[in-house]
Amino acid sequence: MSSEHRRLPQPSPFRQESYSPGELSGECGKEWQSMKINTNEFVEVAQRELTNKRTRTLLDMISSVVDNLRDSAMSSFPDPSAALEYGRAIRAESLARLPELLDQFEKNAVAHGASVFWARTADEANQFVLDLARKRNIKYVTKGKSMVTEEIGLNDALAADGIDVFEADLGEFIAQLLKRPPFHIVGPAINVPVDEISALFLKKGLIERATQDPVELGAAARRYLRQKFQHLEMGITGVNMAVAETGAIINVENEGNIRFSKSSPKTQVSFMTIEKVVPTMRDAMHLLRLLCRNCTAQKISAYVSMDSGPKKPGEIDGPEELFIVILDNGRSAIYANENLREALRCIRCGACMYGCPIYMKIGGYPYGWAYSGPMGQVVNPLLLGLDRTQHLYRACTLCGKCKSICPGGIDHPKLFLLYRSMDVEGDVQLKGQSRPWLEQKAMNILSCGARRAWHWNAGVKGARPVVNLHARGNVISQMPLLGGWFRCRDLPAVGRKTFRERMKETGQY
Ligand code: SF4
């Protein structure tokens, strides 16, 4: 590793300091810009998406087809539940040994000729790529399969410096042109209808006449991007897994663009976050099996690239230099909190989305950022703060479907309940907002009533006439001071008699 690229102190990249979330930069005036963080618009966007016929049709189709496909792919394991448990054990071990594994990974990656840069923050990671591009006089880069670069706003940072960024994955390319966050972790633009893509490509000059033929549209995008690949000087990709034992980085994909991106340019930059490391190649192979089955219901993706260092003497393909950026961006603070650490087990397979009744009603846009669905509900509050993401962890039925299928072994509902309590208690690290005095008192009274039966019965009798004043028919959909709560909920009117009174009347009590 060149010392030029090493800034964090040895031996471990972990820093125990308070987290400062990475902010995406503002409007950069460039056409090729990243998404903005809109997590606080969850309710408005969800309401809009609920009435969007195209979203509804697509999600109805996905929920009836993809979940079954995933189940059948998982059943190709001799013992699916043992395979799931093994994956969870690997992720648990990876986190338990994280500092040691990262050091091992670095040593091995460097031994293969890679340069490793430890970035504490989004700014440090972006600045590293900018400096590198400036030194090599690079004018454009292609980028693919990297959610973490969305997290840190790399596209904006590069664009602000006059460097064009081209998303190499077709779905990401369309989402980039539309300036929208990904609709789904696997299919970022899966919801965009073909006529909209056609109009977009026409406007951007990728096609000369309108067409709704998906093959023609795909070919147009390929022609356009291939020409970028041919003259590529810098490729940027994510990392699905980093293997401590060998120093190899692994990417899975179905379009072949990552392969192009990694084999054509002189300079390759691979971005990974600290939790991407796994102990051995054997572990990585098992997680890969789980990832592909969960993600796209494939036993293995069409392309799997494993890279150990840059091109060696005598090799035809591969970059002349490989930089691996290992990004913290607040994760060491998450890691230091044993209650939150489990959120780092996510392998980004997206299986939790397919099962989630909330995601399947509203799709990916309401989550307002790179990470959506249950995994976004888990990760976004940790990266952005509870104050900006409260609708996310509250928009959950606590049904536990995501937990039951998660190959990383994350207990999503437990974390959502934890976020809620950290929020109401005003947790400083995660920017919780302690509740207003009136709300705290109301909750104290409610909890006091719920602890004693006679309190509760007396309370219900006393409150019934007042509460029912607001009933329309048999439904209460608004009450003074509770406008926020009723914004997306309603209640049945309180019955004329309590359950206990009815039992007494029938002589059963
Ligand atoms: S527990 Fe919540 S996030 Fe998980 S699947 Fe159920 S509704 Fe979705």
Side-chain angles (χ1 to χ4, degrees):
M1 179 197 63
S2 80
S3 57
E4 166 194 10
H5 301 120
R6 179 61 186 249
R7 291 191 197 150
L8 291 190
Q10 285 278 22
S12 159
F14 290 85
R15 298 188 326 157
Q16 308 302 321
E17 62 188 40
S18 62
Y19 170 58
S20 131
E23 296 277 341
L24 295 188
S25 56
E27 187 71 42
C28 64
K30 288 271 176 185
E31 187 143 26
W32 306 88
Q33 63 178 16
S34 301
M35 71 192 75
K36 299 286 172 285
I37 301 171
N38 292 321
T39 45
N40 53 342
E41 291 170 18
F42 181 90
V43 175
E44 292 75 15
V45 183
Q47 278 168 345
R48 200 177 67 218
E49 287 296 276
L50 280 169
T51 58
N52 182 331
K53 277 194 189 142
R54 279 175 164 160
T55 303
R56 300 254 33 83
T57 310
L58 177 80
L59 290 172
D60 287 348
M61 189 272 290
I62 289 180
S63 59
S64 62
V65 175
V66 181
D67 216 16
N68 288 339
L69 284 175
R70 185 196 147 272
D71 282 348
S72 105
M74 285 297 286
S75 68
S76 64
F77 279 122
D79 182 344
S81 46
L84 211 52
E85 277 314 309
Y86 183 31
R88 291 169 178 170
I90 293 170
R91 288 308 292 148
E93 185 194 345
S94 303
L95 280 196
R97 298 174 52 209
L98 193 54
E100 166 207 336
L101 292 176
L102 283 168
D103 281 343
Q104 190 188 1
F105 169 75
E106 180 188 25
K107 276 192 199 91
N108 288 324
V110 169
H112 284 294
S115 297
V116 175
F117 175 73
W118 299 88
R120 284 170 292 201
T121 61
D123 284 348
E124 279 192 10
N126 288 337
Q127 195 58 49
F128 170 75
V129 180
L130 279 174
D131 290 346
L132 198 61
R134 276 184 203 137
K135 276 185 207 158
R136 283 147 183 72
N137 197 25
I138 283 163
K139 291 287 165 246
Y140 74 85
V141 302
T142 66
K143 186 163 86 53
K145 291 290 172 202
S146 171
M147 296 172 83
V148 67
T149 53
E150 297 296 344
E151 175 187 321
I152 62 173
L154 179 65
N155 284 15
D156 281 343
L158 290 170
D161 214 48
I163 298 168
D164 286 332
V165 184
F166 297 91
E167 292 291 348
D169 175 87
L170 180 58
E172 283 169 11
F173 178 63
I174 294 168
Q176 182 192 31
L177 290 177
L178 288 168
K179 299 173 191 166
R180 288 185 199 163
F183 186 81
H184 192 277
I185 186 173
V186 182
I190 192 176
N191 61 322
V192 183
V194 74
D195 53 346
E196 199 175 332
I197 297 173
S198 174
L200 182 70
F201 280 13
L202 199 58
K203 187 173 155 205
K204 301 288 177 189
L206 270 71
I207 50 177
E208 283 171 6
R209 56 170 190 87
T211 173
Q212 302 213 354
D213 179 358
V215 178
E216 250 187 80
L217 291 170
R222 197 172 307 121
R223 263 195 316 274
Y224 181 79
L225 287 170
R226 192 151 293 199
Q227 173 249 330
K228 301 287 169 202
F229 281 127
Q230 267 174 9
H231 307 286
L232 190 57
E233 290 170 331
M234 182 191 275
I236 299 175
T237 65
V239 169
N240 284 101
M241 269 162 247
V243 185
E245 178 188 45
T246 63
I249 47 174
I250 301 179
N251 286 94
V252 292
E253 49 142 0
N254 280 318
E255 290 177 18
N257 292 326
I258 293 279
R259 205 178 41 137
F260 266 132
S261 202
K262 281 171 145 186
S263 58
S264 329
K266 286 186 186 148
T267 304
Q268 162 68 26
V269 184
S270 291
F271 267 86
M272 60 177 270
T273 43
I274 56 173
E275 74 274 20
K276 292 282 178 165
V277 72
V278 295
T280 65
M281 189 56 91
R282 193 186 172 93
D283 294 331
M285 290 303 100
H286 184 68
L287 288 179
L288 212 59
R289 288 185 202 109
L290 282 171
L291 179 75
C292 297
R293 280 166 172 81
N294 270 312
C295 199
T296 45
Q298 294 168 289
K299 285 186 184 165
I300 194 74
S301 56
Y303 299 92
V304 177
S305 17
M306 297 182 200
D307 296 78
S308 301
K311 179 162 72 173
K312 311 279 183 305
E315 287 182 352
I316 300 168
D317 286 331
E320 288 169 17
E321 49 183 1
L322 168 66
F323 296 92
I324 302 173
V325 178
I326 303 181
L327 178 73
D328 184 319
N329 207 25
R331 285 167 176 81
S332 51
I334 298 168
Y335 187 81
N337 185 329
E338 288 193 11
N339 293 323
L340 302 174
R341 185 180 289 182
E342 128 182 11
L344 299 176
R345 288 178 170 207
C346 179
I347 61 168
R348 310 281 190 259
C349 69
C352 54
M353 296 178 189
Y354 297 133
C356 175
I358 308 297
Y359 179 90
M360 280 302 166
K361 284 280 175 245
I362 59 177
Y365 291 154
Y367 300 88
W369 203 32
Y371 310 113
S372 58
M375 53 87 68
Q377 286 162 280
V378 162
V379 172
N380 295 351
L382 300 177
L383 298 178
L384 300 174
L386 297 170
D387 55 339
R388 298 173 76 183
T389 54
Q390 52 177 296
H391 295 307
L392 270 56
Y393 51 84
R394 294 205 171 115
C396 171
T397 63
L398 305 177
C399 69
K401 177 80 193 265
C402 46
K403 173 189 170 186
S404 70
I405 54 184
C406 177
I410 299 175
D411 187 339
H412 304 68
K414 183 191 78 184
L415 285 169
F416 300 147
L417 290 175
L418 179 64
Y419 296 167
R420 291 178 195 182
S421 73
M422 290 172 93
D423 185 25
V424 294
E425 282 163 13
D427 182 84
V428 176
Q429 180 195 354
L430 289 184
K431 298 189 184 161
Q433 299 168 307
S434 56
R435 311 321 288 172
W437 182 87
L438 194 61
E439 189 178 327
Q440 283 183 29
K441 290 296 156 213
M443 286 299 158
N444 287 347
I445 293 168
L446 193 63
S447 105
C448 174
R451 277 195 294 249
R452 290 172 192 82
W454 73 269
H455 278 181
W456 182 260
N457 290 332
V460 169
K461 278 187 193 162
R464 181 164 39 208
V466 183
V467 170
N468 282 352
L469 271 180
H470 304 282
R472 298 282 171 273
N474 245 348
V475 177
I476 304 169
S477 45
Q478 57 178 342
M479 281 175 71
L481 302 177
L482 292 175
W485 195 89
F486 278 105
R487 193 143 59 115
C488 37
R489 302 173 183 89
D490 55 29
L491 273 180
V494 183
R496 274 190 309 111
K497 291 178 182 159
T498 64
F499 181 69
R500 198 181 290 249
E501 286 166 342
R502 286 169 60 193
M503 292 287 279
K504 270 187 185 160
E505 271 180 14
T506 56
Q508 297 176 65
Y509 182 73

